[in-house]
Amino acid sequence: MDIVARVPGKNEKLHLILEKQGYRVKPTNTAIIVYLPKEKDDAYTIPKELIEIENKFVFAYLKETNTDSYAQIICSPQGETIRPYYIHGKDAYFAIRWGAAIIYVSKNKKGQPEISIQTIKIKRINNKVYISRWDIIDEVSELPASHSCYKNAVRAAISKMNCINCSEPHYIRTK
């Protein structure tokens, strides 16, 4: 997971200052994306040059992905589909501002799916960004009824894991 600050507009001077300080910076057509370095305790520091800039947003970049024995689906904290900001092949990339749920499905030794669900919350305090994580479910073979809001996301994750050579996302909002 990458934590980034998105600064609107093209600002070559700011770009060069941040790169000189060792930040990874990616210019786009409409903004500068600054990758924030991770510190201890899932904390990230926003560079002082960005603190006073209006209209900046801090995101967590997450992606839906899979292998032949594992899949990861990103959804809202309530289990609903969310819209990716970018799709490349089988991977859908999500920019999360406040929070999300990550559905993990893997195959156990018998080839049966094991389900884990983790929620993350992003909180900004002054020049720090904190990521909080909660394990809701950890490696269960069936989704408990108390977590039925994740039913469709878990089905999509199992489908994605079993979709060998898959070339498209399985759980996204398109509109």
Side-chain angles (χ1 to χ4, degrees):
M1 171 181 1
D2 289 320
I3 305 301
V4 301
R6 180 187 184 278
V7 181
K10 294 184 177 188
N11 187 330
E12 189 65 30
K13 183 179 176 185
L14 178 62
H15 181 153
L16 293 173
I17 289 169
L18 293 170
E19 276 190 339
K20 205 175 250 188
Q21 292 178 9
Y23 289 95
R24 191 171 126 214
V25 181
K26 179 182 173 187
T28 69
N29 291 335
T30 59
I32 298 172
I33 306 297
V34 182
Y35 291 79
L36 305 181
K38 183 177 181 181
E39 299 174 2
K40 59 184 176 183
D41 301 329
D42 278 335
Y44 300 78
T45 300
I46 299 172
K48 67 180 189 310
E49 291 81 4
L50 301 184
I51 297 298
E52 300 302 318
I53 295 176
E54 295 292 324
N55 299 323
K56 71 178 167 303
F57 298 105
V58 176
F59 296 102
Y61 279 168
L62 301 170
K63 77 176 184 175
E64 175 183 310
T65 190
N66 74 312
T67 67
D68 62 351
S69 62
Y70 167 85
Q72 174 178 299
I73 295 287
I74 311 300
C75 62
S76 77
Q78 298 78 29
E80 300 162 347
T81 59
I82 55 179
R83 194 167 156 213
Y85 77 91
Y86 179 69
I87 297 174
H88 179 72
K90 68 180 181 178
D91 298 327
Y93 296 82
F94 299 87
I96 307 299
R97 281 185 72 184
W98 310 112
I102 306 170
I103 313 296
Y104 304 98
V105 176
S106 59
K107 290 182 182 176
N108 64 18
K109 291 178 183 176
K110 296 179 181 179
Q112 299 300 313
E114 286 189 342
I115 304 159
S116 296
I117 300 175
Q118 182 181 76
T119 59
I120 63 166
K121 185 174 181 179
I122 302 163
K123 186 175 184 179
R124 179 178 165 201
I125 302 173
N126 299 322
N127 71 328
K128 297 280 188 187
V129 177
Y130 297 92
I131 306 298
S132 302
R133 303 165 191 259
W134 295 274
D135 291 329
I136 296 176
I137 297 173
D138 192 28
E139 296 183 354
V140 297
S141 58
E142 289 186 29
L143 187 66
S146 59
H147 293 85
S148 63
C149 65
Y150 297 106
K151 178 176 60 177
N152 291 335
V154 168
R155 284 183 186 153
I158 292 169
S159 173
K160 187 163 185 81
M161 179 181 65
N162 291 324
C163 192
I164 308 301
N165 299 319
C166 179
S167 64
E168 58 188 57
H170 282 232
Y171 198 68
I172 62 171
R173 183 179 336 142
T174 55
K175 294 182 181 182

